[in-house]
Amino acid sequence: MEGTAVKSNSGKPPQFRAQQFTSMQNTPRCVPTISTTSCHEHPEKCHSLCCAQRQAPKADATPIAILVLENQDLQESIKPQKVEFHSLNFNNTLRWLPGRASKAQDTVYFVQYKVYGQSTWQNKGDCWGIHNHFCDLTNETSNVQEPYYGRVKAASAGVFSDWNLSCRFTPWRETMIGPPSVNMVHRNKSIILKLQAPRSPYKRKRGSNIPMTSYYDLLYQVFIINNLLDEKHSTLVYEGADKIIKIKDLRPGVSYCIMAKTYVPMLDRSSAYSSRQCTVLL
């Protein structure tokens, strides 16, 4: 670096003063890693170190951003879908469909439930970290007049989805009631039926399951099919609360089939048909 010698009036050796370059004046200031004295003595060395500090590349945040986006996409892709209660005779099961990433074999699910109006969710221990797409909440929803909620979340590769909530579920209003069991015998020109209402999973103190007639005023609907006339056409021959029904005036040598339903007048809801039972009168 070129410099200018300055004469001293005191007779001391002339001092060396670094010439200031315009390019250095326009350079943003930085803090050098060498001492101030060294910078004064070797300004070109200080300048090169500062430039190196300014030009050092910053840490690249792109991989982190990509990872966050990938995690968010995984969160959405594993989130359970269509979380719903399914109920038959108060056997209450929470069911759901897997998310878009249905091929993720390592996906596990977590289930919670609560009574409507409560603030605290309860974990379902048997359905915590499971691979199934259903959870039996029969015992947790045993007060059939109470409304309940269920919710499910999924986890895969250390990433957790958001919770997905069911609709409000009140067992008494929403359970489907099964058909009655049917015991059939025939005598002469008659068929005698003995009907029994379906039973709930809840037990009396003596240990027997409580019948659905303890919760509803049930009626029975009995249908008969004359296979000689039309195997697909059924005729309603009885509706009522009696458990023993006699169907008279049937034709000997003809094949008859019997089916039955339960009916809840208050909810205007019928069960599915019972299994078909057939006989040929002698």
Side-chain angles (χ1 to χ4, degrees):
M1 178 184 292
E2 295 183 358
T4 304
V6 181
K7 293 183 179 181
S8 171
N9 294 329
S10 61
K12 294 182 180 180
Q15 295 179 343
F16 185 84
R17 181 178 299 164
Q19 191 174 14
Q20 303 297 317
F21 291 94
T22 303
S23 61
M24 292 180 62
Q25 291 173 349
N26 294 336
T27 302
R29 188 172 178 233
C30 68
V31 180
T33 57
I34 63 177
S35 66
T36 304
T37 303
S38 298
C39 276
H40 282 301
E41 293 176 355
H42 305 285
E44 76 287 352
K45 186 176 181 181
C46 179
H47 176 62
S48 64
L49 286 172
C50 287
C51 286
Q53 291 176 5
R54 285 196 307 270
Q55 296 173 2
K58 294 182 180 180
D60 191 359
T62 302
I64 298 175
I66 293 175
L67 181 61
V68 170
L69 290 174
E70 287 179 348
N71 286 350
Q72 289 176 345
D73 184 62
L74 181 59
Q75 276 184 315
E76 285 300 314
S77 67
I78 64 174
K79 185 176 180 180
Q81 304 296 313
K82 294 186 178 180
V83 179
E84 299 173 341
F85 276 95
H86 292 246
S87 180
L88 176 64
N89 300 329
F90 298 140
N91 291 281
N92 306 323
T93 304
L94 190 67
R95 295 182 179 273
W96 59 91
L97 296 177
R100 299 193 310 272
S102 57
K103 294 182 180 180
Q105 299 297 324
D106 63 335
T107 303
V108 293
Y109 300 94
F110 305 85
V111 175
Q112 292 183 329
Y113 65 93
K114 73 171 184 174
V115 177
Y116 172 70
Q118 292 183 350
S119 58
T120 304
W121 287 90
Q122 304 293 326
N123 296 342
K124 172 62 175 175
D126 293 341
C127 302
W128 203 253
I130 61 173
H131 292 280
N132 296 330
H133 300 145
F134 61 88
C135 176
D136 187 353
L137 292 176
T138 298
N139 292 332
E140 290 72 19
T141 53
S142 59
N143 188 339
V144 299
Q145 298 284 357
E146 287 278 12
Y148 297 91
Y149 285 104
R151 66 180 185 179
V152 187
K153 71 176 177 180
S156 178
V159 176
F160 288 82
S161 75
D162 292 332
W163 291 100
N164 200 351
L165 185 69
S166 73
C167 293
R168 189 188 305 179
F169 167 69
T170 305
W172 188 87
R173 290 191 173 277
E174 298 177 54
T175 195
M176 295 300 296
I177 299 174
S181 62
V182 180
N183 183 26
M184 181 177 67
V185 295
H186 60 85
R187 292 177 185 173
N188 300 325
K189 297 180 182 180
S190 302
I191 292 176
I192 300 173
L193 305 175
K194 184 177 180 181
L195 306 176
Q196 187 174 33
R199 293 182 175 270
S200 77
Y202 308 123
K203 296 183 180 297
R204 295 190 174 104
K205 292 182 179 179
R206 292 175 293 177
S208 61
N209 290 75
I210 302 172
M212 297 302 286
T213 49
S214 296
Y215 301 96
Y216 304 93
D217 293 325
L218 293 182
L219 300 180
Y220 301 109
Q221 296 174 330
V222 177
F223 301 83
I224 191 168
I225 299 172
N226 184 334
N227 292 315
L228 183 63
L229 299 177
D230 187 347
E231 294 182 357
K232 297 181 179 179
H233 178 71
S234 61
T235 303
L236 178 65
V237 292
Y238 175 81
E239 182 176 282
D242 293 338
K243 296 180 180 180
I244 299 177
I245 298 118
K246 187 174 183 180
I247 306 173
K248 302 177 181 179
D249 301 325
L250 301 176
R251 294 174 59 185
V254 175
S255 171
Y256 292 96
C257 293
I258 298 294
M259 299 182 298
K261 288 183 176 183
T262 53
Y263 175 64
V264 186
M266 183 177 292
L267 300 176
D268 191 24
R269 184 181 302 163
S270 295
S271 73
Y273 286 104
S274 66
S275 59
R276 183 180 298 195
Q277 296 195 37
C278 301
T279 187
V280 179
L281 297 183
L282 301 177

